[in-house]
């Protein structure tokens, strides 16, 4: 059984375990337990039966723009459209909040393109993103990720 839900503080150890290898490889930025706890409301989880199979977060940068962060699905659960479900959940949350665009920085641009994201120049990324997050990356300042956005139709 597959279900999507919001994260709780009790989920943090399992979330950190899932992402550990990708953090070591420099694919996902490291976040301390306290950072995850502070932002726990932004995380969506996907559960397969009672196992945490993946998660992603919607981080608000401004009234106009949010970002999908830390999107991860356990290797053994990939290929089951769980990542697409997480992206859909974050887009819908952004729509409900009134966000106009959702940004993503990724090594998998084709995954996001098929979900309606369009590539943008990195110079269009909000400056606070660069200094708050990108500076923590092992690849900074030579970023090799692709930046894409998804424009959201406003609610009526």
């Amino acid at each position: 059984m597959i279900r999507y839900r919001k994260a709780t503080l009790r989920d943090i150890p399992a979330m950190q375990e899932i992402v550990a290898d990708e953090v070591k490889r420099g694919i996902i930025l490291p976040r301390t337990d306290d950072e995850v706890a502070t932002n726990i409301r932004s995380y969506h989880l996907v559960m397969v039966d009672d196992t945490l199979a993946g998660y992603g977060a919607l981080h608000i940068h401004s009234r106009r723009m949010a970002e999908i962060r830390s999107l991860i699905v356990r290797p053994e659960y990939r290929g089951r459209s769980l990542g697409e479900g997480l992206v859909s959940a974050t887009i819908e949350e952004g729509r409900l909040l009134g966000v106009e665009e959702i940004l993503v920085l990724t090594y998998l641009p084709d995954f996001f393109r098929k979900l309606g994201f369009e590539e943008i120049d990195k110079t269009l990324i909000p400056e606070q993103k660069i200094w708050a997050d990108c500076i923590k990356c092992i690849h900074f300042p030579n970023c090799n990720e692709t930046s894409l956005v998804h424009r959201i139709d406003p609610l009526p």
Side-chain angles (χ1 to χ4, degrees):
M1 181 174 82
I2 297 171
R3 65 185 171 91
Y4 295 85
R5 67 170 175 85
K6 294 294 278 182
T8 68
L9 296 169
R10 291 182 303 278
D11 296 311
I12 293 173
M15 292 168 68
Q16 294 288 40
E17 184 269 322
I18 289 175
V19 80
D21 287 341
E22 300 296 318
V23 168
K24 287 178 191 168
R25 294 178 43 218
I27 304 298
I28 293 181
L29 289 175
R31 307 232 185 259
T32 66
D33 285 357
D34 287 344
E35 286 175 298
V36 175
T38 299
N39 295 291
I40 199 69
R41 291 183 189 111
S42 68
Y43 289 94
H44 292 265
L45 308 182
V46 59
M47 307 296 292
V48 176
D49 297 322
D50 292 325
T51 301
L52 176 58
Y55 66 88
L58 181 70
H59 180 77
I60 306 297
H61 283 292
S62 69
R63 290 178 59 188
R64 186 181 66 78
M65 182 176 276
E67 177 188 7
I68 294 176
R69 295 179 165 185
S70 305
L71 184 67
I72 182 86
V73 173
R74 287 182 190 268
E76 63 269 29
Y77 292 104
R78 292 179 187 163
R80 298 164 116 183
S81 299
L82 302 179
E84 289 94 333
L86 287 167
V87 171
S88 292
T90 58
I91 290 172
E92 183 56 25
E93 182 178 29
R95 181 184 329 281
L96 292 172
L97 291 172
V99 171
E100 296 172 20
E101 294 181 325
I102 296 183
L103 168 74
V104 66
L105 287 163
T106 183
Y107 293 106
L108 301 171
D110 290 339
F111 170 81
F112 287 96
R113 283 187 190 107
K114 77 177 187 179
L115 299 175
F117 286 73
E118 299 172 358
E119 190 168 338
I120 62 166
D121 189 281
K122 286 188 185 101
T123 60
L124 299 175
I125 297 172
E127 189 174 306
Q128 73 268 23
K129 165 68 180 165
I130 301 301
W131 296 112
D133 293 317
C134 295
I135 202 158
K136 299 175 193 175
C137 181
I138 64 173
H139 304 292
F140 185 79
N142 300 313
C143 180
N144 53 0
E145 287 185 300
T146 302
S147 53
L148 301 102
V149 295
H150 187 284
R151 287 169 182 81
I152 297 177
D153 295 326
L155 289 172

